[in-house]
Amino acid sequence: MTDPYFPFDNTFARLPEGFFARQSPVPVRAPSLIVSNDKLASDMGITLGAESTLAQMLAGNVLPKGAEPLAQLYAGHQFGQFNPQLGDGRALLLGEVVDRFGIRRDIQLKGSGPTPFSRGGDGRAWLGPVLREYVVSEAMAALGIPTTRALAAVRTGDVVYRDGPMPGGVLTRVAGSHIRVGSFQVFAARQQFDHLQQLFDYTVARHDPEVVDPLQFLENVISRQTDLVARWMAVGFIHGVMNTDNCAISGETIDYGPCAFLDSYHPETVFSSIDRMGRYAYGAQPDLILWNLAQLASALLPLTPDPQAALPDYQAVIQNGAEKMQHAWLRHMAPKIGLKEPRAEDKALIHELLQLMADGGSDFTNTFRALAETGTARNDVANREAYDDWHIKWRARSAKESDPQTVMLNANPAFIPRNHHIEAMIQGAVSGDESLLHKLIAAHESPFDPRPDTDDLRKPPLDAERVSATFCGT
Ligand code: AMP
Ligand code: MG
């Protein structure tokens, strides 16, 4: 069997030392591969090679040729509080690879040991969050949502202490880049404007080569992030920890800590055990992302020759962001009721259905999918008389569209990674049974194509199965 091969072509490591700390992964006791993503590897020109060697590399015991491991520096607002220094505390960028589509992508190990930015943490991850991120990020990709990807998950053979002893794991994550809002914030806060300018130049070259000034860059990031959050809303995804350090410039979903999908719909739904105020509740996400983007605006302002004079322009762009968010929401929600080219007045029609769902605690995924599959969601809502009124209006509106059913079938997944399945998968893997893990990975490759063997993934949790809180596991 051949050796693993990664065609590294690193650029971030060429930036000055102040952007990161060079750091090697800390070896673990007994690496073994749990799962690898062959399709993604092939897209990236990576040869996974012999499993045992791959496990050694992706657990951090052996560095692949060309890797230049480093921990990236960033800051961030965590639950609204500015933390002037965060940085990769349990992750390392190994390097970059240009994939077969010409896109440069980071390869990162998460759970690879302490770094200068660990702030007292152990630099490790346990299997639970590693496998949750693997399954959910790959499911998101299959749902068509921009996201970091999962290349592999390994067991370390070491014990990690959280609430008790847990099996350790390392995730190999792939991202368009790991540059975050917080990456800009750290240099703005330190008034290191030369570094800020260098980061801007680097990021623009990588993500927005046509951009010339920071304001235009801000507009692009706003477009990507509002579109992303709208896509989350459309599948019932709750990120759970939308701190500015978990907000990627690339517009990809990043950091699947305490994330969860809605089962029954209510806009105030929160799963994250650390989100006690509901700051990152499902329905709060569209406002929250604008708050984060306003922090990016503040961090970019010093790049303009006269920040005071430029302030109104930046404020206008952020204000306009609220409108972009509304448009994006409609763009991704309207197809769920068969409307491909929505008009402003369709918003009310969608909200009326959502209200009916909230009132009766309807299952988010199944209600929309029933509408798509059977042409009615009557059995999924509690107030049937009110539903019938809505249905008449909806029929009249959707009759003006061409083939609304196909639009709905393509917009409404038959299943999403439900929390109780994720929890059961983690419990299985911890006790050595990886069958549910592999079943979930396979099923979530085609979330719009239900098959008899994926029927059980469509069922909402029974009361006893319902997961009420999720944990970062950090
Ligand atoms: P998160 O919001 O989960 O992405 O993490 C916030 C910050 O805490 C980041 O700087 C992480 O690198 C750091 N962190 C999280 N868990 C650990 C850990 N086990 N050891 C060291 N640093 C950690
Ligand atoms: Mg993070």
Side-chain angles (χ1 to χ4, degrees):
M1 192 75 181
T2 50
D3 273 345
Y5 170 70
F6 297 80
F8 282 116
D9 174 26
N10 307 334
T11 58
F12 198 86
R14 305 279 86 76
L15 288 166
E17 291 290 328
F19 282 70
F20 51 76
R22 295 195 190 272
Q23 170 71 50
S24 292
V26 179
V28 298
R29 194 174 61 85
S32 65
L33 188 72
I34 304 171
V35 57
S36 62
N37 191 333
D38 299 359
K39 168 80 171 59
L40 180 61
S42 141
D43 282 348
M44 294 176 68
I46 293 168
T47 306
L48 293 173
E51 198 174 298
S52 57
T53 322
L54 184 70
Q56 293 283 337
M57 286 181 177
L58 300 183
N61 286 22
V62 174
L63 271 186
K65 194 163 168 283
E68 296 175 272
L70 58 87
Q72 289 179 316
L73 172 71
Y74 50 86
H77 278 91
Q78 299 179 300
F79 292 90
Q81 287 286 86
F82 187 63
N83 191 327
Q85 196 201 287
L86 293 164
D88 292 330
R90 55 168 161 170
L92 292 172
L93 176 67
L94 288 184
E96 299 138 40
V97 160
V98 178
D99 71 14
R100 67 187 181 90
F101 310 102
I103 312 243
R104 177 174 296 282
R105 294 162 109 177
D106 283 1
I107 301 179
Q108 193 201 56
L109 300 184
K110 195 169 171 183
S112 48
T115 78
F117 309 128
S118 295
R119 297 174 297 141
D122 62 3
R124 294 298 182 187
W126 72 279
L127 223 46
V130 166
L131 297 181
R132 176 188 286 118
E133 178 157 346
Y134 193 108
V135 172
V136 180
S137 65
E138 286 304 300
M140 292 284 269
L143 287 164
I145 300 174
T147 177
T148 61
R149 302 289 303 272
L151 185 66
V154 297
R155 287 178 193 267
T156 61
D158 285 327
V159 168
V160 171
Y161 291 90
R162 292 298 179 259
D163 286 336
M166 298 295 194
V170 179
L171 179 77
T172 307
R173 174 159 83 177
V174 169
S177 82
H178 286 86
I179 301 167
R180 310 136 192 271
V181 169
S183 310
F184 288 88
Q185 287 183 288
V186 72
F187 296 133
R190 293 178 176 185
Q191 306 203 335
Q192 287 180 312
F193 299 137
D194 51 336
H195 281 43
L196 188 64
Q197 182 67 50
Q198 259 175 309
L199 180 66
F200 174 76
D201 293 342
Y202 177 86
T203 309
V204 160
R206 191 157 166 180
H207 292 295
D208 299 275
E210 75 294 348
V211 156
V212 291
D213 68 71
L215 191 61
Q216 221 182 338
F217 172 68
L218 177 65
E219 285 186 301
N220 283 7
V221 179
I222 292 175
S223 297
R224 289 197 283 267
Q225 280 291 339
T226 51
D227 188 75
L228 177 66
V229 170
R231 288 175 186 272
W232 291 353
M233 300 303 280
V235 296
F237 178 77
I238 310 169
H239 182 283
V241 58
M242 288 171 70
N243 294 334
T244 57
D245 53 303
N246 293 335
C247 186
I249 294 301
S250 66
E252 292 171 328
T253 312
I254 189 170
D255 272 8
Y256 286 85
C259 71
F261 282 81
L262 290 172
D263 291 304
S264 59
Y265 172 74
H266 198 287
E268 286 165 23
T269 308
V270 176
F271 287 99
S272 169
S273 58
I274 53 172
D275 189 5
R276 292 199 187 84
M277 309 291 283
R279 180 179 170 88
Y280 301 134
Y282 170 79
Q285 299 181 120
D287 286 340
L288 226 295
I289 194 61
L290 293 168
W291 192 89
N292 283 354
L293 293 163
Q295 307 314 312
L296 178 63
S298 304
L300 292 173
L301 250 181
L303 291 174
T304 60
D306 185 350
Q308 205 54 42
L311 188 60
D313 291 341
Y314 278 70
Q315 283 167 335
V317 164
I318 290 295
Q319 239 133 49
N320 187 251
E323 212 165 294
K324 273 190 181 170
M325 187 65 245
Q326 295 280 328
H327 283 301
W329 186 87
L330 190 58
R331 187 163 68 240
H332 293 295
M333 289 301 288
K336 294 181 76 65
I337 60 166
L339 313 180
K340 209 174 171 182
E341 272 147 43
R343 312 165 190 165
E345 62 271 22
D346 295 331
K347 208 178 278 180
L349 194 62
I350 301 165
H351 276 298
E352 274 175 47
L353 177 60
L354 288 173
Q355 189 60 53
L356 282 169
M357 291 165 61
D359 291 344
S362 305
D363 187 83
F364 185 82
T365 304
N366 291 356
T367 304
F368 282 109
R369 186 70 187 189
L371 196 64
E373 286 182 358
T374 67
T376 178
R378 193 170 197 271
N379 293 335
D380 293 81
V381 298
N383 187 340
R384 307 236 158 118
E385 286 88 82
Y387 177 81
D388 291 339
D389 291 343
W390 181 84
H391 192 88
I392 291 166
K393 282 188 270 181
W394 170 66
R395 286 290 295 219
R397 172 65 185 89
S398 59
K400 295 180 189 142
E401 298 275 318
S402 73
D403 202 2
Q405 186 177 29
T406 301
V407 172
M408 288 191 287
L409 286 171
N410 291 328
N412 296 312
F415 47 85
I416 39 91
R418 291 185 185 268
N419 307 317
H420 64 297
H421 293 132
I422 296 289
E423 287 306 323
M425 174 276 288
I426 291 171
Q427 275 176 27
V430 166
S431 59
D433 176 2
E434 292 165 3
S435 56
L436 186 52
L437 169 70
H438 292 290
K439 177 180 167 160
L440 291 182
I441 292 172
H444 286 292
E445 281 176 17
S446 352
F448 297 94
D449 303 319
R451 297 185 311 263
D453 63 320
T454 55
D455 257 358
D456 53 329
L457 299 181
R458 303 183 62 172
K459 294 196 193 93
L462 302 170
D463 279 343
E465 292 173 323
R466 198 175 290 279
V467 173
S468 57
T470 53
F471 301 86
C472 282
T474 57

